[in-house]
Amino acid sequence: MPCRYAQVLFLGAIFVLPAGASVAQTDRPAHLKNVHGNVAPKPAHEHETDIPQQQEHLSVSTSRHTATGGGLLPPQTVARAQSSVTSEFIQKQSPTSNTLGLVAMLPGAVVADSDPLGISDRSTISLRGMNGNEIGFLFEGMPAADAFYNLPDTSEWADSENIGRIDVAQGSASIAAPVYNAVGGTITQQLRDPSRKMGGQFGFSMGNHLTNKDFLRFDTGSIGNTGIRTFTSFSYTTNNNWRGPGTNNRYHVDFKAVKDWGAGNSATVVVTYNRSFADRLTNPTLAQWQEYGKSYNYSGTYTNGATNYYGLYGQDRSTMRISAPVHLVASKQVSFDITPYYMWMSGAVDSGTTLSNTASYNGTQPAGNLGLTNLVNGKETVASVAGYAQYTAGVYAALNYRTHYNDLSVGYWYSNLTQSSLTSYVPVYDDGTVTSITGRDPITTASGDVLASKDLHFHQNLHSFFIRDTLKLLHDRLEITGGFKLVYLDRTGTNELIGAPYRIQSSSTTYLPRLEMIYHIDPDNSVFFDANTNFSAPTTDAAYFSSYNIATGKVAVTGTSNLKNEYSISEELGFRHRGFVTASVSLFNYNFTNRQISTSTYLSGALTTAYLNAGGQTTRGISAEIGLRPWHHITPYLSGQYLHAVLNNNINVGGYYLPTAGKIAPLSPKFVASVGLAYDDGHFFGNMNFSYIDSQYSTFMDDESIPARKTANITLGYRLKDYARLHNTTFQVNLLNVGDSNYLSGVYSMKTNAKTVVVNGHSVAGSAPTYYLGGAFAVVANFSTGF
C-alpha cells in the first residue's frame, strides 16, 4: 500500500488498513506529528470500527511483544468511548474462548458465563448496566446476532485463532452501524486477513472435562497474478459439561478471501459455518444455589414420569454467515462502498415436560386422545421442541465525498428477515432418549394436527438512511461531526395456533440525530464529547402474539402490536493520553424511555422469552483504563467503572404499580474492576487477569441480588525457535478460574419482584429469579505451529 494508513469510507466511516510502508510527512499537518517525526493518529471519523469495513491485521508474531497493556490498549481515535482487544491478547487466551469471554477485561463489560471454557453460548454480557439484547453485534461488517432476539451466540462467529481484533463501543454505536438495537453500544469483531504467502496453522488442545479442540488453517497466499488471497480453517471441539451429565460438540469452518487493486479498491468475501450440539445446564434460584451449589444439576438417570433427566434438555443448532464488503475509489474525493450479507440459522431447544393424554389443548381447542401409552397418573413425560428457522438478507451502501475541510457521507441500509417458530412435542423412549431432538414425527391431536404451543411466522423489513458530515478546523485539531439517521421498521406475522388472533402488524419510524467532537491537544492527548441518540426495537416475538396454556387452553400471554421502541439520549465526555503510559477516562450520562427487558422463561413446558417495558431510567458513571508499553517485557493493565443506574418509574404488574421508582436498576453493579499483567520476552510468555464484579440486583424491586465475585485466569507459555517451515511453534497452558470460585455470574431470568409486595391492599406475588452459575476451575493445554 502506498501509505501507512489506507483510508476508505463505508457508510460514512473510515476503515483503517494497516500496512508496512510509512506515510509521507506531508499527509498530516506539522502540529500532528510527534516528537519523533511520526504521524499522529488519524482523526476520529477516520477510524470508525463498528461499521462494515475491511481491515488487514498484522499477524500475531509481528507485534506480540510491543502492544500496550498486553494487547488491551490499542490506539483509539473515535469521538466516543471505545476499548479493544487485539490479537496479542487473544492468542494468549484459551483457544476455546468466545468473543464475550475475550472482552471481559474491558471497562464496563460484565460477562455472565456458565461455561469456563467458552465452548457453549450459555452466557450473556452487559455494558454500563445495559443487557445483551440492547447491544449491537457486528462481525466482518454485518449484523451478527440473531436478527430478532438479538442473541449474539459469539462462539459461532469464528475460531479465536482467526480473530484479529474486537472493538467495544461501551455507550453508543456509530451512526453508520447497521444495527437497530444498540442503546448499549456495539461489539465489533474482525478476522485476520489471509496471508500473502502460502502457509497455515495447526493447533491441538486438551484439558479437563475431557476437553479437546483440533484446529487447521490453510492460507493460499497470493494466487498467481489475480491479487486474490484466501484462507480456510476447520475446527472440531468437544467437552463434557463441567457440572452434571452431558456433552458439547462443535464443528466450525471459517473462510475469507481478499482482493486489493488499483489505488485503494478492495473486495472481501467472508463465510462462516457452525454446527453445535449441547446438553444444557440448570439455572438455579438463589435458594437452590445456596443449598446445593454446583450440585444442582439435571439427573444422569431417567425415571418414568420425571422431567429432570438431562437427555430431555438438548440443543441442536446450525448457522451460516456470509458478508461481501466492496470498496471502490472513483477519485481522490469520491468513493463508494457496498456490502451485501446473508445469515441463516436453524435449530431446536428441547425441554422436559409432561402431557395429559386426554386433557391437553391445541390452542383453545381440546386435543382429544393423544395416543400416549407410557402414562403415570394420566400424564406422560415428553420433550417440548422449540424449533426455529431464520433467514436474513441485507445490503448497505454509502457514497462518500471528501474535501480538505469536510468529509460527507450518505448511506442506505436494507434488511429483510423471515422467521418461523414451531414448538411441538415428541415422545421419549423407555431410557429417556428423545425420539427426535429436532421434532420429527411429533405428537399429534386426535384429529391429526401437530400438537403445538407456538406456531408463528414472522417477517421484518427495515429501511435506514443516514447522512453525516465532519468539519475539520484549526489545522485538523478540532473535528465536529453532525449527523442524522432515520430507521423505518415494519413487522408482520401470523399465528397458526387454533383460536388465536391470526395476524399482527407493527411499524415504527425512528429519528436519530447526533453530534460528536474531538480536539487533538497534541499528538498524544485529546478530549472528546458526544451527544447521541439510539434505539432498540422489541427483541421478542412472544409479546406480539397470544399464546395459550397447553394444559388448560386459557390465554397465557395476550399479544399486542403496541410495543414501543426503547430510546436513549446519551452524553459522554472523555480524555485520552497515549505514550509510555496510555490512559483513557470517560464520564457518561444516559436517559432512557421504554427501557426493555427480555428474559428467558418457560411456557407450556417450552423455553421462550418474556418481555417487559420498565419505563424510564437514568444511568450515570465513569469508566477508565490505563496500561503501559512493555517495560522489561512486562505490560500491566487496569480498568474500572463506577455506575449509578436508577429506575424512574413504577412498573405495572397486572394492573398494580410496584413502587420501583428510585430503585437501583437490575444488572447494574456499582463497581467493576480488572487487573492484567503480561510478560513476553519472545520465548517465555504469560499473563494473569483478575476481575472483580460488584453485587447486582436481579429484580426491579431490589429485593434479591447476587453476591460480588472475584475470578482470576493465568496463562503460561513458551515459543520455540523457527525450524525449517515450522514457525511460531508454541506450547501454552491456560488456567481458568484458578481459585475455583463458586459464584453466580449473572441473571438468567429476571423478575419484577422476588417477594410479595402489597400495593393498595392487593398482594403482588413474588417470583424467584434464576441465575447463571459461573464455571469452575478448568485447564487447557495447547500446542500450535505455523507452517
Side-chain angles (χ1 to χ4, degrees):
M1 298 181 186
C3 63
R4 180 171 176 79
Y5 289 97
Q7 303 154 334
V8 294
L9 280 167
F10 186 93
L11 291 176
I14 294 288
F15 314 139
V16 179
L17 307 178
S22 61
V23 180
Q25 297 297 320
T26 56
D27 283 357
R28 299 285 278 152
H31 73 274
L32 290 182
K33 298 173 185 175
N34 61 28
V35 294
H36 301 293
N38 297 324
V39 180
K42 292 293 183 177
H45 67 285
E46 297 180 355
H47 198 174
E48 299 280 8
T49 57
D50 58 354
I51 58 177
Q53 62 182 293
Q54 297 187 50
Q55 190 172 31
E56 181 179 341
H57 294 281
L58 299 175
S59 66
V60 180
S61 60
T62 58
S63 60
R64 66 190 178 206
H65 318 312
T66 60
T68 301
L72 290 168
L73 263 176
Q76 305 287 352
T77 57
V78 292
R80 60 182 181 277
Q82 180 170 286
S83 303
S84 304
V85 297
T86 65
S87 60
E88 172 162 351
F89 177 81
I90 294 168
Q91 301 303 322
K92 294 174 183 174
Q93 308 312 303
S94 170
T96 61
S97 301
N98 62 39
T99 302
L100 298 187
L102 291 171
V103 302
M105 293 284 290
L106 299 183
V110 178
V111 177
D113 70 310
S114 59
D115 173 12
L117 300 166
I119 296 173
S120 75
D121 279 305
R122 295 184 288 260
S123 60
T124 186
I125 188 173
S126 64
L127 295 173
R128 294 180 176 175
M130 291 165 279
N131 58 22
N133 66 293
E134 299 172 287
I135 299 170
F137 296 93
L138 296 165
F139 170 69
E140 282 289 337
M142 67 176 288
D146 180 310
F148 194 68
Y149 302 106
N150 199 40
L151 300 174
D153 295 318
T154 58
S155 73
E156 302 173 350
W157 296 6
D159 281 311
S160 63
E161 293 89 342
N162 294 325
I163 300 175
R165 177 172 171 140
I166 307 170
D167 295 299
V168 177
Q170 286 93 340
S172 181
S174 164
I175 193 173
V179 291
Y180 55 88
N181 40 32
V183 294
T186 52
I187 295 177
T188 305
Q189 181 174 297
Q190 292 287 318
L191 298 179
R192 291 190 292 131
D193 272 359
S195 173
R196 297 183 184 275
K197 295 182 179 180
M198 183 182 294
Q201 180 183 352
F202 167 76
F204 173 77
S205 304
M206 61 186 302
N208 61 342
H209 312 301
L210 294 182
T211 299
N212 169 242
K213 179 177 181 179
D214 304 312
F215 173 83
L216 180 64
R217 166 171 164 154
F218 176 71
D219 291 74
T220 63
S222 296
I223 302 174
N225 296 320
T226 64
I228 299 173
R229 48 200 167 97
T230 75
F231 82 74
T232 304
S233 71
F234 170 79
S235 71
Y236 170 71
T237 311
T238 183
N239 76 314
N240 287 345
N241 281 338
W242 68 272
R243 62 179 176 94
T247 61
N248 303 279
N249 295 283
R250 174 182 179 267
Y251 302 85
H252 188 85
V253 175
D254 289 328
F255 169 83
K256 186 172 186 178
V258 175
K259 177 177 171 61
D260 306 308
W261 74 96
N265 300 286
S266 60
T268 299
V269 175
V270 174
V271 181
T272 68
Y273 171 79
N274 196 86
R275 175 69 188 273
S276 62
F277 172 83
D279 288 310
R280 290 155 51 208
L281 299 173
T282 57
N283 296 101
T285 65
L286 183 62
Q288 289 166 339
W289 174 68
Q290 290 173 338
E291 181 175 359
Y292 300 105
K294 302 174 185 178
S295 300
Y296 182 74
N297 303 309
Y298 292 119
S299 174
T301 57
Y302 177 67
T303 301
N304 189 26
T307 60
N308 64 339
Y309 177 55
Y310 85 97
L312 301 174
Y313 294 86
Q315 177 173 311
D316 189 17
R317 180 175 168 90
S318 299
T319 61
M320 177 179 288
R321 292 171 172 85
I322 303 174
S323 176
V326 177
H327 173 68
L328 301 173
V329 178
S331 67
K332 292 182 65 175
Q333 289 77 35
V334 179
S335 63
F336 176 73
D337 295 270
I338 186 168
T339 300
Y341 67 89
Y342 173 79
M343 181 167 60
W344 157 76
M345 55 183 62
S346 67
V349 180
D350 292 2
S351 302
T353 187
T354 58
L355 287 177
S356 171
N357 186 45
T358 57
S360 296
Y361 284 79
N362 198 27
T364 60
Q365 185 179 87
N369 194 314
L370 301 179
L372 305 177
T373 59
N374 199 9
L375 302 176
V376 176
N377 297 324
K379 294 184 178 182
E380 181 170 316
T381 299
V382 299
S384 66
V385 181
Y388 56 91
Q390 184 183 110
Y391 307 88
T392 304
V395 62
Y396 13 76
L399 181 64
N400 316 295
Y401 181 72
R402 184 176 187 177
T403 68
H404 182 70
Y405 298 104
N406 285 83
D407 289 345
L408 176 66
S409 296
V410 179
Y412 171 74
W413 170 36
Y414 172 73
S415 174
N416 176 271
L417 160 70
T418 300
Q419 176 174 290
S420 297
S421 304
L422 174 66
T423 298
S424 58
Y425 299 83
V426 298
V428 300
Y429 294 114
D430 291 341
D431 63 354
T433 303
V434 176
T435 56
S436 172
I437 190 174
T438 56
R440 292 190 304 272
D441 299 323
I443 295 170
T444 57
T445 66
S447 60
D449 297 323
V450 173
L451 181 68
S453 56
K454 182 178 182 180
D455 191 357
L456 309 178
H457 301 278
F458 201 87
H459 302 277
Q460 174 181 289
N461 281 288
L462 178 144
H463 301 268
S464 178
F465 166 84
F466 81 88
I467 182 169
R468 179 180 63 186
D469 186 58
T470 298
L471 176 64
K472 295 171 283 187
L473 303 172
L474 304 178
H475 303 287
D476 290 355
R477 284 186 182 271
L478 175 64
E479 300 175 36
I480 304 173
T481 300
F484 175 81
K485 186 175 185 178
L486 181 149
V487 181
Y488 173 74
L489 191 65
D490 180 71
R491 290 175 165 178
T492 60
T494 57
N495 190 345
E496 304 291 339
L497 286 181
I498 297 173
Y502 179 67
R503 183 176 177 84
I504 66 100
Q505 195 277 330
S506 174
S507 62
S508 65
T509 302
T510 307
Y511 307 94
L512 302 168
R514 63 176 52 208
L515 172 70
E516 296 178 348
M517 295 185 290
I518 187 167
Y519 180 72
H520 302 281
I521 301 170
D522 56 41
D524 296 324
N525 298 278
S526 61
V527 293
F528 64 86
F529 170 80
D530 64 89
N532 292 319
T533 57
N534 292 283
F535 89 109
S536 176
T539 53
T540 178
D541 58 0
Y544 284 103
F545 299 95
S546 295
S547 56
Y548 302 86
N549 190 308
I550 201 167
T552 65
K554 295 181 179 180
V555 174
V557 175
T558 300
T560 177
S561 297
N562 190 30
L563 300 180
K564 298 179 179 180
N565 294 331
E566 180 177 353
Y567 195 85
S568 70
I569 301 174
S570 64
E571 301 87 26
E572 287 181 315
L573 176 64
F575 170 78
R576 293 190 184 104
H577 170 76
R578 193 174 69 159
F580 176 72
V581 177
T582 294
S584 176
V585 60
S586 302
L587 300 168
F588 54 86
N589 176 73
Y590 298 87
N591 286 284
F592 299 92
T593 57
N594 299 309
R595 177 75 196 281
Q596 293 181 16
I597 301 297
S598 183
T599 188
S600 298
T601 188
Y602 281 88
L603 178 63
S604 295
L607 187 64
T608 186
T609 58
Y611 168 83
L612 176 67
N613 187 326
Q617 179 176 315
T618 300
T619 299
R620 294 176 179 141
I622 181 172
S623 62
E625 58 183 339
I626 186 171
L628 301 182
R629 290 176 184 166
W631 178 75
H632 297 284
H633 310 299
I634 298 172
T635 51
Y637 172 83
L638 173 66
S639 72
Q641 177 179 274
Y642 167 79
L643 182 69
H644 183 65
V646 178
L647 301 173
N648 298 336
N649 301 101
N650 294 331
I651 295 178
N652 187 341
V653 178
Y656 296 90
Y657 283 86
L658 295 179
T660 54
K663 302 288 187 183
I664 299 298
L667 300 178
S668 301
K670 190 173 184 179
F671 295 104
V672 175
S674 295
V675 178
L677 187 65
Y679 176 87
D680 194 330
D681 66 7
H683 290 293
F684 290 99
F685 65 89
N687 58 42
M688 185 281 292
N689 300 318
F690 170 83
S691 294
Y692 169 79
I693 309 295
D694 210 347
S695 62
Q696 307 171 59
Y697 288 113
S698 54
T699 69
F700 291 88
M701 281 297 297
D702 290 355
D703 55 2
E704 187 166 303
S705 63
I706 58 176
R709 59 182 167 98
K710 308 177 188 71
T711 55
N713 301 327
I714 294 176
T715 300
L716 301 171
Y718 182 79
R719 298 186 194 90
L720 300 177
K721 293 182 178 180
D722 294 349
Y723 177 77
R725 288 188 57 87
L726 301 181
H727 59 86
N728 200 32
T729 301
T730 302
F731 294 91
Q732 177 175 307
V733 177
N734 294 94
L735 306 174
L736 311 172
N737 189 9
V738 292
D740 197 23
S741 297
N742 177 22
Y743 64 97
L744 298 177
S745 63
V747 182
Y748 178 75
S749 181
M750 195 182 305
K751 304 297 181 181
T752 55
N753 53 304
K755 301 175 182 178
T756 299
V757 179
V758 178
V759 180
N760 297 328
H762 175 81
S763 295
V764 179
S767 180
T770 57
Y771 301 95
Y772 292 100
L773 181 53
F777 170 75
V779 57
V780 179
N782 172 257
F783 166 80
S784 66
T785 187
F787 57 88

